[in-house]
Amino acid sequence: IFDDKGHVAGVQGVVYDITEKKQLEEDVLNEKRKLESILSLFDNIDAVRDFDDLMDLSVNGIVKTLECLVCLVATDDSQTDTFTVNKVQGINGGSLKEIRIGKKDPLVQYVMDTKETLFVQNIEYDKRLQNVPRPGFLKRSFIISPLESEDKVKGLVMVTDNQSKPGAEIFFNET
């Protein structure tokens, strides 16, 4: 914009806020990476013939896809009425492999009764689980999923968020 004497008096323009567009693009790329990771996992599963290799591949795939702090697979130990941790990734696996998860634990009992995945964004605000204790390695945001065979829960997959400092967790979202 020029004044009467031809000097610049101001500037006129149009500004577009593309924040939402950029966030949407990032979200789409993130979902694309997750899908590619899952498809890669499926491709690799077809070639696995050993159970331990399958569990390693599964746990590694979950950790990579969900970017989680801890992922473990525990299988039924009917002699002790517990689930024994077989595979773990994300923290010191040696100490977790000694853990037995009791079938009477309220979170485990919930998953065994419903035979559905328990998805918790923040246990402190989840009305289903008020005053329910959780194992120390599970943070405020976690997933517990049953492994079923012959209509019985034969194992569990447990996944926890990717931060451990209270108040600073990056909670799982529903994707």
Side-chain angles (χ1 to χ4, degrees):
I1 301 177
F2 299 95
D3 64 15
D4 295 341
K5 297 180 183 176
H7 297 97
V8 176
V11 177
Q12 181 178 9
V14 178
V15 177
Y16 295 100
D17 183 357
I18 60 169
T19 305
E20 286 184 33
K21 180 181 176 188
K22 285 293 187 187
Q23 183 61 49
L24 182 59
E25 287 173 359
E26 285 180 32
D27 292 346
V28 167
L29 284 174
N30 189 36
E31 294 305 311
K32 179 181 180 255
R33 282 191 289 274
K34 284 181 183 179
L35 181 58
E36 287 170 347
S37 178
I38 290 168
L39 292 174
S40 172
L41 180 63
F42 287 146
D43 288 343
N44 292 328
I45 284 175
D46 288 340
V48 174
R49 300 291 176 245
D50 179 69
F51 183 71
D52 282 340
D53 290 343
L54 177 62
M55 289 197 355
D56 283 338
L57 182 66
S58 300
V59 169
N60 293 339
I62 290 169
V63 167
K64 181 180 176 186
T65 302
L66 297 180
E67 301 171 347
C68 58
L69 177 67
V70 175
C71 177
L72 66 82
V73 175
T75 54
D76 184 24
D77 183 349
S78 55
Q79 294 176 339
T80 62
D81 203 31
T82 62
F83 289 98
T84 303
V85 175
N86 299 92
K87 295 291 176 185
V88 64
Q89 184 175 334
I91 62 173
N92 181 358
S95 61
L96 280 182
K97 285 191 175 193
E98 305 301 319
I99 292 178
R100 295 187 182 279
I101 303 165
K103 291 181 182 177
K104 303 252 187 264
D105 175 281
L107 296 173
V108 171
Q109 191 65 53
Y110 181 90
V111 171
M112 288 178 64
D113 290 346
T114 63
K115 294 183 181 165
E116 294 178 359
T117 297
L118 176 62
F119 175 82
V120 178
Q121 286 186 306
N122 188 334
I123 195 169
E124 294 178 16
Y125 301 111
D126 194 314
K127 293 182 179 170
R128 300 170 297 176
L129 306 171
Q130 288 181 342
N131 303 317
V132 173
R134 63 186 184 267
F137 61 87
L138 287 179
K139 304 303 175 195
R140 294 180 346 176
S141 175
F142 57 88
I143 301 167
I144 303 174
S145 188
L147 299 173
E148 292 182 64
S149 176
E150 299 171 1
D151 203 34
K152 292 184 181 179
V153 176
K154 298 289 188 172
L156 301 170
V157 175
M158 300 176 119
V159 181
T160 193
D161 58 9
N162 57 1
Q163 292 286 334
S164 59
K165 183 175 163 187
E169 286 91 343
I170 299 173
F171 300 116
F172 289 118
N173 60 33
E174 295 184 23
T175 59

